[in-house]
């Protein structure tokens, strides 16, 4: 089965390259098959093929191929390896369905498929932590599923479920708001952000898929396809802008103090998703999709490199215990540096083309100063926590007792790294040339460009200050706890509801399960049936006595008549 995963990975890579080559030459086509038809509306299965769908399928396939090759090394000692590979294939297939289906009823195949398979993959290790994380992930994603079903019900009178048509907003003014709230549950924006770091309980290859091009990008992709609907509602656009900016700052500040390696990368994913949705709220649809594709490549590479570091140090994820990795894992650290630099937007890597364009074009929109301050602050946080991560892994002190479990990095790892590294370096330039709407952009002056280079020494200064001024007012324990808990979001969305339910469970037990539910339910039914049976028995006795008396009188009358005759 290990060889099978390598074959599947190679096949995925080939499909991804083929989709990339034909993406610029494919005109928009919708293939539709009627499944059921009535006088008022019908249900059909549709497939949408255009430049965006082929480009995104190419990204998903190339990342999935690299991850499958990576799994042949990372999960080789797994007992249930066949089950794991099957779940990953179902996960990727659900995302492909979501990308290519424009019909809102049929898109539930991919939408619910992602939710179910993500739950099964998060609880894969079958312990209490994984189960808790899987339940949080599943329940939050069910909110989006319910809202999607609500949209389907509200469109019953439209004669179809093609949500990409902006004419539907004329009759359903609330539809864009419901669509935004339903989509951000998948993309983990405020106040649904707590499930994203919790989903790190899944195996690292799954985390690479979830946080690069599949589950968390499903909501962004749905909003991208429905951008014409969103633009008809100013309230929906303002709501999306506000939530994305708050999430951007919150995720960046939490990543500055997080010590779990995988959670730091998860929070960086959350901040980049906020950048995509912020650009979408400004009407920059092409730029949002550009950053979606560019981010997927270097984030998958970043997770794979982090997985090697964790796997090589006996599953240790504390970045304070993973120092001096440069000397023992040179290839992984080199590729991690490339991915991190692309995340920071260093010229001329993939992240530079998309993030630079978002910042440039957002300044040309003419919004208020507060919006731009939050955007720049979130971008600064990205540089700071990326530099902190690299310094800890490469040059930090190894305070743990763990040792690297092997002497030389496997050839399989280098094969998995190579395709993602090529994408991290070149996909920004390639996509900017393929997509016509991205060929021209607004460019700032050289002085304005050079100001971005000042972020790096500023990030180093802040990092030095955080190490040497631990007792200062800013770095108190309360402030660190506030930031690490994602602004109390974890306790408010996960711990507080469960605590409330546990405290009042006895009240619920006495008043509901042993109270009026019993009276209305089984006990009440017993009382009613007992009364009815007693009444029926009494009535039957009365009727029996009446019939016996009548029968006696008839017999006596008959006897008397016989005697007289």
């Amino acid at each position: 089965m290990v060889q099978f995963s390598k074959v599947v990975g190679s096949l995925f890579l080939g499909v991804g390259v083929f989709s990339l080559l034909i993406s610029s030459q494919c005109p928009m086509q919708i293939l539709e098959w009627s499944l059921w038809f009535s006088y008022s509306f019908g249900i059909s299965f549709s497939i949408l093929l255009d430049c965006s769908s082929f480009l995104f399928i190419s990204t998903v396939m190339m990342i999935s191929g690299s991850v499958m090759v990576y799994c042949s090394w990372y999960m080789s000692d797994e007992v249930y390896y066949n089950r794991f590979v099957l779940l990953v294939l179902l996960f990727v297939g659900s995302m492909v369905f979501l990308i290519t289906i424009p019909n809102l009823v049929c898109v539930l195949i991919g939408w619910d498929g992602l939710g179910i398979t993500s739950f099964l993959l998060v609880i894969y290790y079958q312990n209490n932590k994984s189960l808790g994380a899987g339940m949080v992930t599943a329940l939050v994603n069910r909110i989006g599923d319910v809202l999607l079903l609500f949209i389907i019900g509200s469109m019953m009178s439209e004669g179809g479920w093609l949500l990409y048509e902006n004419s539907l907003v004329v009759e359903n003014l609330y539809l864009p708001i419901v669509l935004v709230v339903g989509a951000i549950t998948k993309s983990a924006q405020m106040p649904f952000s707590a499930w994203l770091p919790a989903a790190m309980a899944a195996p690292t290859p799954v985390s690479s898929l979830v946080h690069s091009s599949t589950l968390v990008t499903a909501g962004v992709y749905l909003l991208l396809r429905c951008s014409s609907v969103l633009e008809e509602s100013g309230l929906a656009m303002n709501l999306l802008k506000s939530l994305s900016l708050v999430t951007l700052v919150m995720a960046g500040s939490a990543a500055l103090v997080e010590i779990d390696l995988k959670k730091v990368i998860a929070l960086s994913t959350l901040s980049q998703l906020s950048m995509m949705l912020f650009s979408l709220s400004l009407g920059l649809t092409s730029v949002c999709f550009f950053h979606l594709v560019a981010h997927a490549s270097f984030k998958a590479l970043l997770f794979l490199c982090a997985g090697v570091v964790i796997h090589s140090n006996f599953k240790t994820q504390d970045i304070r215990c993973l120092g001096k990795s440069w000397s023992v894992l040179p290839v992984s650290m080199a590729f991690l540096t490339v991915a991190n630099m692309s995340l920071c937007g260093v010229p001329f890597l993939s992240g530079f083309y998309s993030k630079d364009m978002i910042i440039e074009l957002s300044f040309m929109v003419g919004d208020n100063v507060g919006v731009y301050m939050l955007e720049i602050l979130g971008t600064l946080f990205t540089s700071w926590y990326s530099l902190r991560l690299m310094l800890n892994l490469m040059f930090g002190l190894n305070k743990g007792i763990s040792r690297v479990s092997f002497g030389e990095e496997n050839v399989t790892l280098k094969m998995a790294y190579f395709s993602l590294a090529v994408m991290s370096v070149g996909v920004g330039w390639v996509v900017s040339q393929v997509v016509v709407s991205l060929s021209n952009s607004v460019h700032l002056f050289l002085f304005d460009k050079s100001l971005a280079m000042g972020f790096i020494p500023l990030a180093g200064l802040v990092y030095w200050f955080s190490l040497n001024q631990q007792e200062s007012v800013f770095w108190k324990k309360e402030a660190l706890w506030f930031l690490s808990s994602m602004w109390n979001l974890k306790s408010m969305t996960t711990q507080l509801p469960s605590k409330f339910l546990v405290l009042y469970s006895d009240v619920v037990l006495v008043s509901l399960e042993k109270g009026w539910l019993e009276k209305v339910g089984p006990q009440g039914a017993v009382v009613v049936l007992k009364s009815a049976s007693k009444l029926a028995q009494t009535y039957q006795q009365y009727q029996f006595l009446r019939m016996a008396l009548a029968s006696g009188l008839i017999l006596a009358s008959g006897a008397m008549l016989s005697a007289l005759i």
Side-chain angles (χ1 to χ4, degrees):
M1 196 67 184
V2 174
Q3 296 298 326
F4 174 74
S5 63
K6 289 184 179 181
V7 173
V8 173
S10 302
L11 180 61
F12 281 176
L13 288 172
V15 173
V17 173
F18 176 75
S19 301
L20 179 62
L21 293 177
I22 67 174
S23 60
S24 60
Q25 307 296 329
C26 180
M28 181 176 180
Q29 297 179 357
I30 297 181
L31 307 178
E32 187 170 0
W33 293 270
S34 179
L35 301 179
W36 180 78
F37 182 76
S38 179
Y39 292 102
S40 58
F41 61 90
I43 299 177
S44 61
F45 183 82
S46 307
I47 295 179
L48 175 63
L49 301 175
D50 62 346
C51 177
S52 298
S53 60
F54 272 113
L55 193 57
F56 200 27
I57 288 176
S58 171
T59 305
V60 172
M61 286 299 174
M62 294 183 72
I63 292 175
S64 303
S66 300
V67 169
M68 291 298 293
V69 174
Y70 179 83
C71 287
S72 64
W73 171 81
Y74 190 88
M75 307 291 290
S76 58
D77 56 346
E78 181 62 38
V79 177
Y80 303 105
Y81 185 78
N82 298 350
R83 180 192 304 172
F84 175 77
V85 172
L86 179 61
L87 288 174
V88 172
L89 292 178
L90 290 175
F91 193 65
V92 175
S94 300
M95 190 63 196
V96 173
F97 267 102
L98 180 67
I99 294 171
T100 56
I101 297 178
N103 190 293
L104 199 58
V105 174
C106 296
V107 83
L108 286 174
I109 300 173
W111 188 270
D112 281 337
L114 285 173
I116 295 172
T117 52
S118 64
F119 171 74
L120 296 176
L121 287 169
V122 170
I123 67 171
Y124 181 78
Y125 285 134
Q126 300 181 11
N127 51 47
N128 292 332
K129 180 181 177 182
S130 299
L131 179 60
M135 288 301 299
V136 171
T137 303
L139 291 176
V140 173
N141 280 273
R142 292 309 294 173
I143 298 175
D145 300 342
V146 170
L147 293 177
L148 202 61
L149 290 172
F150 177 79
I151 296 175
I152 291 174
S154 65
M155 294 173 60
M156 285 287 290
S157 60
E158 299 293 336
W161 283 279
L162 288 177
L163 190 60
Y164 306 159
E165 299 176 1
N166 56 0
S167 60
L168 304 178
V169 190
V170 177
E171 297 295 333
N172 304 305
L173 299 178
Y174 57 87
L175 191 143
I177 306 294
V178 178
L179 180 63
V180 167
V181 178
I184 64 175
T185 58
K186 274 281 196 291
S187 297
Q189 300 299 296
M190 292 280 283
F192 309 108
S193 303
W195 72 266
L196 193 64
M200 291 296 97
T204 301
V206 176
S207 302
S208 177
L209 277 175
V210 167
H211 289 261
S212 60
S213 59
T214 51
L215 181 63
V216 295
T217 59
V220 180
Y221 185 79
L222 183 63
L223 292 178
L224 273 170
R225 287 297 193 182
C226 303
S227 58
S228 59
V229 176
L230 295 179
E231 290 171 358
E232 298 293 328
S233 174
L235 181 59
M237 298 291 276
N238 290 329
L239 176 65
L240 187 61
K241 182 188 299 183
S242 303
L243 293 178
S244 61
L245 284 174
V246 174
T247 310
L248 175 65
V249 178
M250 181 273 295
S253 60
L256 287 175
V257 298
E258 183 61 57
I259 59 175
D260 191 309
L261 175 58
K262 291 179 68 175
K263 288 186 177 180
V264 172
I265 305 176
L267 290 169
S268 72
T269 301
L270 187 55
S271 64
Q272 299 308 305
L273 291 171
S274 302
M275 286 289 289
M276 300 173 200
L277 294 176
F278 172 69
S279 62
L280 184 62
S281 67
L282 298 178
L284 307 174
T285 307
S286 300
V287 181
C288 175
F289 182 74
F290 186 20
H291 191 51
L292 178 64
V293 174
H295 166 263
S297 58
F298 58 76
K299 185 52 60 71
L301 179 60
L302 192 60
F303 261 109
L304 295 190
C305 297
V308 173
V309 175
I310 294 171
H311 191 75
S312 304
N313 288 275
F314 300 101
K315 310 302 181 181
T316 303
Q317 296 184 196
D318 194 331
I319 60 175
R320 297 170 298 181
C321 303
L322 298 175
K324 303 299 182 182
S325 298
W326 180 265
S327 57
V328 292
L329 298 170
V331 177
S332 298
M333 288 299 101
F335 284 111
L336 185 140
T337 303
V338 172
N340 238 333
M341 291 172 68
S342 184
L343 174 63
C344 296
V346 174
F348 290 91
L349 301 179
S350 296
F352 164 76
Y353 287 93
S354 56
K355 291 184 66 175
D356 189 72
M357 192 176 296
I358 291 176
I359 296 174
E360 287 179 2
L361 295 179
S362 65
F363 276 94
M364 303 301 294
V365 173
D367 218 320
N368 59 68
V369 179
V371 171
Y372 297 129
M373 291 296 293
L374 292 176
E375 180 189 6
I376 294 299
L377 183 61
T379 307
L380 285 172
F381 283 157
T382 303
S383 302
W384 294 348
Y385 64 67
S386 298
L387 182 62
R388 171 177 175 260
L389 182 64
M390 286 193 293
L391 291 177
N392 274 281
L393 291 183
M394 297 182 187
F395 308 112
L397 296 176
N398 193 333
K399 300 178 183 179
I401 59 174
S402 59
R403 293 293 182 267
V404 176
S405 59
F406 64 96
E408 185 177 356
E409 292 163 289
N410 198 292
V411 179
T412 305
L413 294 178
K414 300 175 184 178
M415 294 172 56
Y417 288 156
F418 180 74
S419 58
L420 293 178
V422 172
M423 292 177 64
S424 300
V425 174
V427 76
W429 179 82
V430 171
V431 175
S432 64
Q433 300 299 317
V434 170
V435 182
V436 178
S437 57
L438 299 176
S439 57
N440 297 317
S441 64
V442 179
H443 294 276
L444 302 178
F445 294 104
L446 180 61
F447 175 74
D448 300 325
K449 293 271 191 177
S450 61
L451 288 178
M453 301 302 295
F455 295 164
I456 297 178
L458 183 60
L461 180 63
V462 173
Y463 178 69
W464 175 85
F465 180 78
S466 66
L467 291 178
N468 295 278
Q469 303 293 328
Q470 295 288 343
E471 302 300 327
S472 63
V473 178
F474 179 76
W475 294 102
K476 277 187 176 180
K477 184 185 294 184
E478 292 80 5
L480 290 175
W481 181 86
F482 176 75
L483 294 179
S484 62
S485 63
M486 300 174 65
W487 298 5
N488 289 335
L489 194 63
K490 292 181 180 178
S491 59
M492 287 189 296
T493 56
T494 58
Q495 299 172 5
L496 186 61
S498 60
K499 182 179 179 181
F500 176 80
L501 292 176
V502 170
L503 289 176
Y504 291 95
S505 60
D506 55 341
V507 178
V508 175
L509 180 65
V510 173
S511 62
L512 293 180
E513 295 187 9
K514 294 184 178 180
W516 66 270
L517 283 178
E518 289 288 340
K519 299 296 183 183
V520 176
Q523 291 185 2
V526 168
V527 172
V528 172
L529 291 175
K530 186 183 294 185
S531 302
S533 62
K534 185 176 181 180
L535 181 62
Q537 185 178 6
T538 304
Y539 180 75
Q540 289 174 359
Q541 291 176 353
Y542 170 73
Q543 292 293 334
F544 177 77
L545 291 175
R546 184 178 176 181
M547 291 178 62
L549 182 61
S551 299
L553 291 174
I554 292 172
L555 292 175
S557 301
M560 292 176 63
L561 290 173
S562 299
L564 292 175
I565 294 174

